[in-house]
């Protein structure tokens, strides 16, 4: 009978973190793959009340803007939240305190997302160094958590989310996850926030930048978008693709890009499928 492969667990994970990731519940996903074998992978995390289908086009737009063939996996939040799903209880600006407690819904979702990313990367043959996680709203807040605690990705893009203050509070379970999982190193982070965001106010995005720099000594790239509410605008797509191309280095693509007459503008058809990582 077919067997489920062991999840790829990077050495950056402490043993207890690796165990939590390995035992995390499987997630449902929609995926879009290029005709060519993908060399890069973008994992999408939707917002509260949405589903894996809501932001799949955003992932596809980012992938199409990148020069290397890029696959997209859009994950479904593990908690039902009509009309869709969510990653933790409460909102990014006002989370349920229990969701941030030890083994709360937020840390459980972090483990589940890391496991899903590891499995998708392994299945597609794309290394962590060329895998990115892109989140919006609650998905961005989850992506921030991956940036703070370490994960099987080479870069993080967070749109209209926040890094919880608790990651900087000594003795808090989320602070312990930073100590266990990050290995003291920081992932490259690109963050966006609308200056008139009425759901997760911009002050949370700005505070996230300061906290991340305090924790890791590395300042994320931050874009405060004028006149933008709690939404994704085309500028974010373009800048995200540029950022990922900068940080998800593909040596072969870099070589070809510098060779006269070798263009890397991919115009490929995509195939969309649904994957149940829970198996």
């Amino acid at each position: 009978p077919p067997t489920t492969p062991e999840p790829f667990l990077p050495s950056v994970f402490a043993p207890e973190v690796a165990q939590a990731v390995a035992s995390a519940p499987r997630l449902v996903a929609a995926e879009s793959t290029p005709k060519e074998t993908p060399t890069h992978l973008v994992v999408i995390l939707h917002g509260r009340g949405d589903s894996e289908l809501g932001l799949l086009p955003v992932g596809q737009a980012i992938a199409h803007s990148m020069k290397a063939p890029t696959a997209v996996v859009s994950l479904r939040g593990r908690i039902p939240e009509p009309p869709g799903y969510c990653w933790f209880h409460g909102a990014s600006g006002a989370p349920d305190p229990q969701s941030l407690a030890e083994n709360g819904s937020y840390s459980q979702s972090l483990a589940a997302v890391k496991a899903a990313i590891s499995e998708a990367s392994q299945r597609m043959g794309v290394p962590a160094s060329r895998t990115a996680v892109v989140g919006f709203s609650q998905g961005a807040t989850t992506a921030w958590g991956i940036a703070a605690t370490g994960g099987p990705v080479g870069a993080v893009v967070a749109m209209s989310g926040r890094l919880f203050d608790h990651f900087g509070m000594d003795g808090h379970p989320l602070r312990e996850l930073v100590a266990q999982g990050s290995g003291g190193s920081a992932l490259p982070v690109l963050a966006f926030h609308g200056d008139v965001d009425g759901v997760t106010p911009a002050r949370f995005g700005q505070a996230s930048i300061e906290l991340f720099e305090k924790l890791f000594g590395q300042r994320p790239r931050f874009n405060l978008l004028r006149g933008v509410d709690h939404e994704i605008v085309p500028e974010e797509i373009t800048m995200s693709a540029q950022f990922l191309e900068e940080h998800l280095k593909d040596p072969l693509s870099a070589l070809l890009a510098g060779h006269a007459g070798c263009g890397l503008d991919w115009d490929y058809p995509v195939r969309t499928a649904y994957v149940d990582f829970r198996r």
Side-chain angles (χ1 to χ4, degrees):
T3 58
T4 301
E6 288 297 319
F8 169 68
L9 300 176
S11 59
V12 70
F13 291 151
E16 58 270 32
V17 178
Q19 182 178 4
V21 171
S23 61
R26 301 297 181 89
L27 300 177
V28 174
E31 75 177 34
S32 176
T33 55
K35 182 177 64 176
E36 296 83 1
T37 300
T39 61
H40 293 66
L41 172 62
V42 172
V43 178
I44 301 294
L45 307 180
H46 63 74
R48 184 183 185 188
D50 202 350
S51 75
E52 71 279 11
L53 300 179
L55 292 188
L56 181 61
V58 170
Q60 291 174 317
I62 293 174
H64 280 225
S65 298
M66 296 173 66
K67 294 178 180 178
T70 303
V72 178
V73 171
S74 183
L75 300 177
R76 176 191 293 179
R78 44 180 292 276
I79 304 168
E81 173 92 2
Y85 302 85
C86 66
W87 299 104
F88 54 90
H89 298 292
S92 292
D96 182 335
Q98 290 302 313
S99 69
L100 305 184
E102 185 174 8
N103 202 36
S105 58
Y106 182 71
S107 60
Q108 288 180 14
S109 284
L110 286 181
V113 168
K114 291 177 185 182
I117 294 174
S118 294
E119 183 167 346
S121 297
Q122 185 181 44
R123 180 167 50 84
M124 294 185 180
V126 177
S129 61
R130 283 188 261 124
T131 299
V133 61
V134 177
F136 169 71
S137 192
Q138 260 204 11
T141 299
T142 304
W144 267 116
I146 292 174
T149 62
V153 297
V156 172
V157 177
M159 302 173 174
S160 307
R162 68 178 292 200
L163 179 64
F164 286 126
D165 298 341
H166 307 72
F167 281 109
M169 297 179 181
D170 289 338
H172 193 278
L174 293 185
R175 183 68 179 88
E176 296 303 314
L177 289 181
V178 174
Q180 293 170 0
S182 69
S185 61
L187 289 166
V189 178
L190 172 64
F192 297 96
H193 224 108
D195 67 341
V196 291
D197 190 324
V199 177
T200 308
R203 68 177 185 275
F204 289 122
Q206 295 167 323
S208 300
I209 302 302
E210 303 300 328
L211 176 56
F212 193 86
E213 184 176 26
K214 180 180 178 181
L215 289 172
F216 299 104
Q218 176 177 308
R219 191 171 184 84
R221 195 175 300 178
F222 183 57
N223 292 277
L224 186 64
L225 305 172
R226 302 296 178 186
V228 174
D229 202 336
H230 196 69
E231 57 188 321
I232 299 174
V233 296
E235 181 181 0
E236 294 174 85
I237 304 296
T238 302
M239 295 179 69
S240 294
Q242 293 171 345
F243 178 80
L244 297 184
E245 286 188 326
E246 176 184 346
H247 291 282
L248 304 182
K249 295 295 187 181
D250 178 8
L252 178 59
S253 293
L255 176 64
L256 292 176
H259 191 282
C262 290
L264 286 178
D265 291 327
W266 298 88
D267 182 15
Y268 51 79
V270 297
R271 296 186 291 266
T272 300
Y274 299 92
V275 180
D276 189 342
F277 285 155
R278 297 172 299 180
R279 272 205 288 272

